[in-house]
Protein backbone atom coordinates (compact mmCIF):
# COMPACT_ATOMS: atom_id res chain seq x y z
CA UNK A 1 0.00 0.00 0.00
CA UNK A 2 1.33 3.45 -0.84
CA UNK A 3 1.98 5.76 2.11
CA UNK A 4 -0.59 8.39 2.91
CA UNK A 5 0.49 11.85 1.73
CA UNK A 6 1.20 14.84 3.95
CA UNK A 7 -1.58 16.70 5.77
CA UNK A 8 -3.14 19.63 3.92
CA UNK A 9 -1.40 22.37 5.96
CA UNK A 10 1.93 20.63 5.66
CA UNK A 11 1.49 20.26 1.91
CA UNK A 12 0.56 23.93 1.45
CA UNK A 13 3.62 24.99 3.44
CA UNK A 14 5.89 22.71 1.41
CA UNK A 15 4.54 23.91 -1.93
CA UNK A 16 4.87 27.55 -0.90
CA UNK A 17 8.46 26.92 0.10
CA UNK A 18 9.11 25.36 -3.30
CA UNK A 19 7.48 28.38 -4.95
CA UNK A 20 9.89 30.57 -2.97
CA UNK A 21 12.84 28.64 -4.35
CA UNK A 22 13.62 26.27 -1.50
CA UNK A 23 15.49 23.39 -3.12
CA UNK A 24 15.27 21.22 -0.02
CA UNK A 25 11.46 21.39 -0.12
CA UNK A 26 11.59 20.25 -3.75
CA UNK A 27 13.42 17.15 -2.62
CA UNK A 28 10.90 16.56 0.16
CA UNK A 29 8.00 16.83 -2.30
CA UNK A 30 9.78 14.48 -4.66
CA UNK A 31 10.28 11.94 -1.87
CA UNK A 32 6.60 12.17 -0.93
CA UNK A 33 5.16 11.77 -4.39
CA UNK A 34 7.70 10.03 -6.62
CA UNK A 35 6.59 6.50 -5.68
CA UNK A 36 2.83 6.99 -6.14
CA UNK A 37 3.35 8.94 -9.37
CA UNK A 38 5.80 6.36 -10.68
CA UNK A 39 3.39 3.55 -9.87
CA UNK A 40 0.52 5.38 -11.52
CA UNK A 41 2.58 5.95 -14.66
CA UNK A 42 3.96 2.41 -14.64
CA UNK A 43 0.51 0.83 -14.32
CA UNK A 44 -0.80 3.14 -17.02
CA UNK A 45 1.93 2.59 -19.59
CA UNK A 46 3.17 -0.88 -18.64
CA UNK A 47 6.94 -0.48 -18.95
CA UNK A 48 9.40 0.47 -16.22
CA UNK A 49 11.80 2.39 -18.53
CA UNK A 50 9.06 4.55 -19.99
CA UNK A 51 7.59 5.01 -16.52
CA UNK A 52 10.90 6.35 -15.28
CA UNK A 53 11.31 8.76 -18.21
CA UNK A 54 7.78 9.98 -17.83
CA UNK A 55 8.11 10.42 -14.06
CA UNK A 56 11.26 12.44 -14.64
CA UNK A 57 9.51 14.64 -17.22
CA UNK A 58 6.58 15.06 -14.86
CA UNK A 59 8.67 16.32 -11.97
CA UNK A 60 10.73 18.56 -14.22
CA UNK A 61 7.59 20.18 -15.52
CA UNK A 62 6.18 20.46 -12.00
CA UNK A 63 9.24 22.19 -10.56
CA UNK A 64 9.56 24.49 -13.55
CA UNK A 65 5.93 25.54 -13.43
CA UNK A 66 5.07 25.35 -9.75
CA UNK A 67 5.06 29.15 -9.50
CA UNK A 68 1.95 29.14 -11.70
CA UNK A 69 0.02 26.97 -9.24
CA UNK A 70 -2.38 29.37 -7.52
CA UNK A 71 -3.77 26.98 -4.93
CA UNK A 72 -0.99 24.94 -3.25
CA UNK A 73 -3.63 22.66 -1.70
CA UNK A 74 -4.35 21.32 -5.21
CA UNK A 75 -0.76 20.30 -5.74
CA UNK A 76 -1.39 16.53 -5.68
CA UNK A 77 -4.14 16.67 -8.30
CA UNK A 78 -2.13 19.04 -10.45
CA UNK A 79 0.88 16.69 -10.24
CA UNK A 80 -1.20 13.69 -11.29
CA UNK A 81 -2.76 15.67 -14.17
CA UNK A 82 0.69 16.49 -15.47
CA UNK A 83 1.77 12.84 -15.15
CA UNK A 84 -1.36 11.73 -16.96
CA UNK A 85 -0.78 14.22 -19.78
CA UNK A 86 2.80 13.05 -20.16
CA UNK A 87 1.60 9.47 -20.54
CA UNK A 88 -1.02 10.46 -23.10
CA UNK A 89 1.57 12.38 -25.12
CA UNK A 90 3.97 9.43 -25.06
CA UNK A 91 1.29 6.99 -26.13
CA UNK A 92 0.20 9.32 -28.96
CA UNK A 93 3.79 9.56 -30.15
CA UNK A 94 4.30 5.79 -30.01
CA UNK A 95 1.03 5.11 -31.77
CA UNK A 96 2.00 7.51 -34.54
CA UNK A 97 5.25 5.61 -34.90
CA UNK A 98 3.47 2.28 -35.04
CA UNK A 99 0.74 3.76 -37.30
CA UNK A 100 -2.10 2.79 -35.07
CA UNK A 101 -5.13 5.02 -34.68
CA UNK A 102 -5.40 6.73 -31.36
CA UNK A 103 -9.17 6.66 -31.64
CA UNK A 104 -9.26 2.91 -31.75
CA UNK A 105 -10.45 2.04 -28.28
CA UNK A 106 -9.35 -1.55 -28.59
CA UNK A 107 -5.77 -0.58 -29.18
CA UNK A 108 -4.10 0.38 -25.98
CA UNK A 109 -1.76 -0.98 -23.42
CA UNK A 110 -2.01 -4.59 -24.49
CA UNK A 111 -1.14 -3.84 -28.11
CA UNK A 112 1.69 -1.69 -26.96
CA UNK A 113 3.02 -4.50 -24.82
CA UNK A 114 2.81 -6.93 -27.72
CA UNK A 115 4.70 -4.67 -30.08
CA UNK A 116 7.64 -4.04 -27.78
CA UNK A 117 9.69 -6.15 -25.45
CA UNK A 118 8.29 -5.93 -22.02
CA UNK A 119 8.75 -7.43 -18.67
CA UNK A 120 7.46 -6.01 -15.47
CA UNK A 121 10.26 -5.39 -13.00
CA UNK A 122 9.39 -4.78 -9.42
CA UNK A 123 9.38 -6.45 -6.05
CA UNK A 124 6.59 -8.99 -6.55
CA UNK A 125 4.12 -10.79 -4.35
CA UNK A 126 4.10 -13.43 -7.03
CA UNK A 127 5.23 -13.12 -10.64
CA UNK A 128 2.13 -14.92 -11.83
CA UNK A 129 -0.22 -12.55 -10.02
CA UNK A 130 1.71 -9.52 -11.27
CA UNK A 131 1.41 -10.91 -14.77
CA UNK A 132 -2.35 -11.25 -14.37
CA UNK A 133 -2.61 -7.72 -13.02
CA UNK A 134 -0.67 -6.32 -15.96
CA UNK A 135 -2.75 -8.39 -18.38
CA UNK A 136 -5.99 -7.19 -16.80
CA UNK A 137 -4.84 -3.58 -17.01
CA UNK A 138 -3.71 -4.14 -20.56
CA UNK A 139 -7.11 -5.46 -21.49
CA UNK A 140 -8.69 -2.13 -20.52
CA UNK A 141 -8.83 0.84 -22.86
CA UNK A 142 -6.67 3.72 -21.61
CA UNK A 143 -9.67 5.77 -20.53
CA UNK A 144 -10.90 2.99 -18.23
CA UNK A 145 -7.43 1.98 -17.09
CA UNK A 146 -6.53 5.41 -15.73
CA UNK A 147 -9.64 5.76 -13.56
CA UNK A 148 -9.33 2.15 -12.40
CA UNK A 149 -5.71 2.70 -11.34
CA UNK A 150 -6.57 5.92 -9.55
CA UNK A 151 -9.75 4.66 -7.89
CA UNK A 152 -9.04 1.01 -7.14
CA UNK A 153 -5.25 0.63 -7.11
CA UNK A 154 -4.30 4.00 -5.62
CA UNK A 155 -7.53 4.37 -3.67
CA UNK A 156 -8.44 7.91 -4.61
CA UNK A 157 -12.05 8.80 -3.92
CA UNK A 158 -14.40 9.26 -6.87
CA UNK A 159 -14.28 13.05 -6.35
CA UNK A 160 -10.50 13.06 -6.37
CA UNK A 161 -10.45 10.99 -9.54
CA UNK A 162 -12.75 13.51 -11.25
CA UNK A 163 -10.34 16.31 -10.28
CA UNK A 164 -7.45 14.48 -11.87
CA UNK A 165 -9.02 13.24 -15.08
CA UNK A 166 -11.35 16.19 -15.57
CA UNK A 167 -14.49 14.17 -16.21
CA UNK A 168 -17.85 14.12 -14.48
CA UNK A 169 -18.55 11.96 -11.43
CA UNK A 170 -21.03 9.87 -13.41
CA UNK A 171 -18.50 9.28 -16.20
CA UNK A 172 -15.81 8.25 -13.69
CA UNK A 173 -18.17 5.87 -11.84
CA UNK A 174 -19.31 4.33 -15.13
CA UNK A 175 -15.74 3.87 -16.34
CA UNK A 176 -14.58 2.31 -13.07
CA UNK A 177 -17.61 0.02 -13.25
CA UNK A 178 -16.70 -1.08 -16.80
CA UNK A 179 -13.03 -1.51 -15.83
CA UNK A 180 -14.02 -3.69 -12.86
CA UNK A 181 -15.97 -5.98 -15.19
CA UNK A 182 -12.92 -6.39 -17.44
CA UNK A 183 -10.64 -6.97 -14.43
CA UNK A 184 -13.08 -9.53 -13.07
CA UNK A 185 -12.99 -11.41 -16.38
CA UNK A 186 -9.18 -11.66 -16.41
CA UNK A 187 -8.41 -11.93 -12.70
CA UNK A 188 -11.53 -13.93 -11.91
CA UNK A 189 -10.18 -16.97 -13.77
CA UNK A 190 -6.88 -16.74 -11.86
CA UNK A 191 -8.70 -16.36 -8.54
CA UNK A 192 -10.93 -19.33 -9.33
CA UNK A 193 -7.90 -21.41 -10.27
CA UNK A 194 -6.12 -20.38 -7.05
CA UNK A 195 -9.19 -21.18 -4.96
CA UNK A 196 -9.49 -24.62 -6.62
CA UNK A 197 -5.82 -25.36 -6.00
CA UNK A 198 -6.11 -24.31 -2.35
CA UNK A 199 -9.17 -26.47 -1.84
CA UNK A 200 -7.40 -29.44 -3.51
CA UNK A 201 -4.34 -29.00 -1.30
CA UNK A 202 -6.56 -28.82 1.82
CA UNK A 203 -8.24 -32.05 0.84
CA UNK A 204 -4.85 -33.69 0.32
CA UNK A 205 -3.63 -32.52 3.74
CA UNK A 206 -6.76 -33.72 5.47
CA UNK B 1 -35.11 -5.10 -6.91
CA UNK B 2 -34.11 -6.89 -10.12
CA UNK B 3 -30.65 -8.35 -10.79
CA UNK B 4 -29.81 -5.76 -13.51
CA UNK B 5 -30.48 -2.90 -11.12
CA UNK B 6 -28.67 -4.68 -8.29
CA UNK B 7 -25.63 -5.25 -10.51
CA UNK B 8 -25.44 -1.54 -11.31
CA UNK B 9 -25.67 -0.70 -7.61
CA UNK B 10 -23.02 -3.26 -6.72
CA UNK B 11 -20.55 -2.09 -9.34
CA UNK B 12 -20.61 1.45 -8.05
CA UNK B 13 -20.67 0.45 -4.37
CA UNK B 14 -17.97 -2.20 -4.14
CA UNK B 15 -15.97 0.00 -1.74
CA UNK B 16 -18.96 0.80 0.45
CA UNK B 17 -19.17 -0.67 3.92
CA UNK B 18 -22.96 -0.66 4.05
CA UNK B 19 -25.62 -0.94 1.36
CA UNK B 20 -29.18 0.35 1.03
CA UNK B 21 -31.77 -1.93 2.58
CA UNK B 22 -33.24 -2.90 -0.79
CA UNK B 23 -29.88 -4.04 -2.13
CA UNK B 24 -29.07 -5.87 1.11
CA UNK B 25 -32.33 -7.74 0.93
CA UNK B 26 -31.72 -8.67 -2.75
CA UNK B 27 -28.20 -9.92 -1.95
CA UNK B 28 -29.58 -12.17 0.75
CA UNK B 29 -31.91 -13.76 -1.78
CA UNK B 30 -29.80 -13.78 -4.95
CA UNK B 31 -26.73 -16.04 -5.15
CA UNK B 32 -25.64 -14.64 -8.49
CA UNK B 33 -25.51 -11.01 -7.28
CA UNK B 34 -23.90 -11.85 -3.95
CA UNK B 35 -21.31 -13.92 -5.85
CA UNK B 36 -20.69 -10.92 -8.16
CA UNK B 37 -20.13 -8.67 -5.15
CA UNK B 38 -17.74 -11.18 -3.58
CA UNK B 39 -15.74 -11.52 -6.81
CA UNK B 40 -15.51 -7.75 -7.26
CA UNK B 41 -14.29 -7.32 -3.69
CA UNK B 42 -11.65 -9.99 -4.35
CA UNK B 43 -10.59 -8.23 -7.56
CA UNK B 44 -10.36 -4.90 -5.72
CA UNK B 45 -8.33 -6.59 -2.98
CA UNK B 46 -5.92 -8.06 -5.56
CA UNK B 47 -5.39 -4.74 -7.31
CA UNK B 48 -5.31 -2.80 -4.07
CA UNK B 49 -2.42 -4.94 -2.91
CA UNK B 50 -0.61 -4.88 -6.26
CA UNK B 51 3.15 -4.70 -5.91
CA UNK B 52 4.52 -1.23 -5.28
CA UNK B 53 7.09 -0.60 -7.95
CA UNK B 54 10.13 1.41 -6.86
CA UNK B 55 11.59 4.08 -9.13
CA UNK B 56 15.33 4.08 -9.68
CA UNK B 57 17.30 5.58 -6.76
CA UNK B 58 19.09 7.81 -9.32
CA UNK B 59 15.91 9.42 -10.59
CA UNK B 60 16.18 12.42 -8.27
CA UNK B 61 19.83 12.93 -9.26
CA UNK B 62 18.81 13.06 -12.92
CA UNK B 63 15.99 15.50 -12.19
CA UNK B 64 18.23 17.73 -10.10
CA UNK B 65 20.90 17.72 -12.78
CA UNK B 66 18.40 18.67 -15.50
CA UNK B 67 17.04 21.49 -13.35
CA UNK B 68 20.51 22.91 -12.74
CA UNK B 69 21.34 22.78 -16.48
CA UNK B 70 18.79 25.46 -17.26
CA UNK B 71 18.93 28.05 -14.45
CA UNK B 72 16.86 30.57 -16.44
CA UNK B 73 14.01 28.16 -16.71
CA UNK B 74 14.11 27.33 -13.02
CA UNK B 75 10.60 28.40 -12.23
CA UNK B 76 10.91 26.66 -8.92
CA UNK B 77 13.82 28.96 -8.05
CA UNK B 78 11.26 31.70 -7.55
CA UNK B 79 11.24 33.68 -10.72
CA UNK B 80 7.96 35.11 -9.57
CA UNK B 81 8.91 36.40 -6.11
CA UNK B 82 12.33 37.54 -7.41
CA UNK B 83 10.69 39.61 -10.10
CA UNK B 84 8.46 41.23 -7.52
CA UNK B 85 11.46 41.98 -5.31
CA UNK B 86 13.36 43.41 -8.27
CA UNK B 87 10.50 45.73 -9.14
CA UNK B 88 10.14 46.86 -5.54
CA UNK B 89 13.87 47.57 -5.29
CA UNK B 90 13.79 49.52 -8.52
CA UNK B 91 10.79 51.52 -7.35
CA UNK B 92 12.53 52.37 -4.07
CA UNK B 93 15.67 53.46 -5.92
CA UNK B 94 13.72 55.67 -8.31
CA UNK B 95 11.82 57.25 -5.43
CA UNK B 96 15.03 57.82 -3.53
CA UNK B 97 16.73 59.41 -6.54
CA UNK B 98 13.74 61.64 -7.13
CA UNK B 99 13.67 62.78 -3.50
CA UNK B 100 17.40 63.41 -3.54
CA UNK B 101 17.20 65.49 -6.70
CA UNK B 102 14.05 67.29 -5.65
CA UNK B 103 15.25 68.30 -2.18
CA UNK B 104 18.71 69.34 -3.45
CA UNK B 105 17.32 71.86 -5.96
CA UNK B 106 14.32 73.12 -3.96
CA UNK B 107 14.94 76.12 -1.76
CA UNK B 108 12.89 76.65 1.43
CA UNK B 109 9.31 77.63 0.56
CA UNK B 110 9.33 81.01 2.28
CA UNK B 111 12.50 82.06 0.49
CA UNK B 112 11.07 80.85 -2.81
CA UNK B 113 8.12 83.17 -2.33
CA UNK B 114 10.39 86.14 -1.50
CA UNK B 115 12.58 85.49 -4.48
CA UNK B 116 9.56 85.35 -6.69
CA UNK B 117 8.42 88.70 -5.31
CA UNK B 118 11.87 90.15 -6.17
CA UNK B 119 12.71 91.12 -2.58
CA UNK B 120 16.09 89.49 -2.02
CA UNK B 121 18.03 88.94 -5.21
CA UNK B 122 17.36 91.77 -7.62
CA UNK B 123 20.27 90.72 -9.80
CA UNK B 124 18.90 87.23 -9.98
CA UNK B 125 15.50 88.35 -11.25
CA UNK B 126 17.06 89.51 -14.46
CA UNK B 127 15.99 86.40 -16.41
CA UNK B 128 18.00 83.79 -14.48
CA UNK B 129 16.77 80.69 -12.62
CA UNK B 130 17.41 81.18 -8.88
CA UNK B 131 17.38 77.46 -8.19
CA UNK B 132 20.04 76.74 -10.78
CA UNK B 133 22.13 79.60 -9.39
CA UNK B 134 21.70 78.17 -5.88
CA UNK B 135 22.72 74.74 -7.12
CA UNK B 136 25.80 76.14 -8.84
CA UNK B 137 26.72 78.12 -5.76
CA UNK B 138 26.30 75.09 -3.54
CA UNK B 139 28.94 73.35 -5.62
CA UNK B 140 31.36 76.22 -4.80
CA UNK B 141 30.56 75.89 -1.12
CA UNK B 142 28.57 79.13 -1.07
CA UNK B 143 25.10 79.84 0.24
CA UNK B 144 23.47 82.26 -2.21
CA UNK B 145 20.54 82.92 0.11
CA UNK B 146 22.78 84.16 2.90
CA UNK B 147 24.78 86.16 0.40
CA UNK B 148 21.60 87.78 -0.83
CA UNK B 149 20.82 88.90 2.66
CA UNK B 150 24.27 90.46 3.19
CA UNK B 151 24.96 93.99 2.07
CA UNK B 152 27.23 93.94 -1.03
CA UNK B 153 30.23 95.46 0.75
CA UNK B 154 30.16 92.73 3.41
CA UNK B 155 29.95 89.85 0.92
CA UNK B 156 33.41 88.23 0.75
CA UNK B 157 32.61 86.63 -2.61
CA UNK B 158 31.72 89.82 -4.37
Amino acid sequence: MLEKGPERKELIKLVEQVQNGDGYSCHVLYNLYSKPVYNFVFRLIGRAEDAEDLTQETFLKVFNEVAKLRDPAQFKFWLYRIARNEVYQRIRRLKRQSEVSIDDEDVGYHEFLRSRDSGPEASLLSKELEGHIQRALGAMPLKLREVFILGVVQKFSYDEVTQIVGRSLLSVKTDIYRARLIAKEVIGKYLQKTADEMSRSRKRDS
Amino acid sequence: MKCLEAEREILSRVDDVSFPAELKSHLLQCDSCSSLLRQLKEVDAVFGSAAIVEPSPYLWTRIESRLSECPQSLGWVAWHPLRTQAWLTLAVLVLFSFCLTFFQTQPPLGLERELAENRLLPSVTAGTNPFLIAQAAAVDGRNPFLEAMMPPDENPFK
Side-chain angles (χ1 to χ4, degrees), chain A:
Chain A
M1 175 98 65
L2 291 162
E3 295 94 20
K4 200 174 160 224
E7 295 298 326
R8 187 190 152 91
K9 274 187 190 170
E10 206 182 297
L11 173 65
I12 292 172
K13 189 178 164 192
L14 262 175
V15 174
E16 284 172 350
Q17 282 168 344
V18 170
Q19 287 175 326
N20 289 331
D22 180 6
Y24 176 73
S25 298
C26 288
H27 198 183
V28 171
L29 270 182
Y30 170 83
N31 285 338
L32 285 168
Y33 290 107
S34 58
K35 216 192 287 186
V37 167
Y38 178 77
N39 274 267
F40 169 62
V41 170
F42 172 68
R43 294 294 177 193
L44 203 51
I45 204 158
R47 268 174 53 95
E49 287 164 26
D50 287 324
E52 211 151 272
D53 273 344
L54 292 168
T55 306
Q56 182 180 311
E57 291 308 312
T58 299
F59 278 96
L60 280 171
K61 203 169 209 171
V62 160
F63 292 137
N64 278 322
E65 296 183 11
V66 72
K68 296 178 190 172
L69 179 64
R70 286 182 205 161
D71 183 4
Q74 299 295 310
F75 175 80
K76 186 169 80 171
F77 307 122
W78 179 66
L79 170 66
Y80 269 85
R81 277 199 295 271
I82 290 175
R84 176 182 171 262
N85 290 340
E86 290 295 317
V87 172
Y88 269 78
Q89 280 175 27
R90 176 67 62 96
I91 289 176
R92 267 188 210 115
R93 211 175 321 147
L94 289 164
K95 283 186 177 177
R96 247 180 277 140
Q97 286 169 9
S98 64
E99 294 171 6
V100 173
S101 164
I102 192 173
D103 296 326
D104 188 349
E105 274 233 351
D106 294 335
V107 178
Y109 185 96
H110 191 59
E111 288 295 311
F112 169 48
L113 278 181
R114 250 197 274 155
S115 63
R116 293 160 67 107
D117 292 329
S118 67
E121 304 119 348
S123 59
L124 303 171
L125 288 170
S126 83
K127 281 194 172 156
E128 196 186 350
L129 177 59
E130 183 63 24
H132 282 291
I133 287 172
Q134 292 292 88
R135 255 188 292 282
L137 290 172
M140 299 173 194
L142 186 63
K143 203 178 143 216
L144 305 192
R145 196 185 317 138
E146 63 176 356
V147 294
F148 184 80
I149 293 168
L150 291 168
V152 175
V153 181
Q154 299 219 332
K155 304 213 186 300
F156 281 94
S157 68
Y158 286 128
D159 283 329
E160 288 173 331
V161 175
T162 62
Q163 288 191 61
I164 293 169
V165 303
R167 304 210 288 271
S168 70
L169 185 62
L170 181 62
S171 166
V172 163
K173 277 187 172 177
T174 309
D175 287 348
I176 292 182
Y177 150 108
R178 287 165 63 198
R180 276 189 169 123
L181 287 177
I182 296 172
K184 184 181 90 67
E185 273 305 307
V186 178
I187 293 283
K189 290 171 193 165
Y190 164 77
L191 290 175
Q192 186 59 48
K193 183 181 142 200
T194 312
D196 291 343
E197 278 172 6
M198 278 176 70
S199 128
R200 271 199 296 272
S201 104
R202 263 192 239 115
K203 279 182 188 163
R204 257 185 268 124
D205 291 341
S206 65

Side-chain angles (χ1 to χ4, degrees), chain B residues 2 40 56 116 151:
Chain B
K2 293 197 174 141
L40 290 174
S56 157

Side-chain angles (χ1 to χ4, degrees), chain B residues 94-116:
Chain B
V94 165
L95 195 63
F96 182 69
S97 308
F98 176 75
C99 291
L100 208 63
T101 314
F102 183 77
F103 286 115
Q104 267 187 353
T105 57
Q106 273 296 9
L109 276 175
L111 184 61
E112 186 184 339
R113 206 180 301 121
E114 292 202 47
L115 285 170

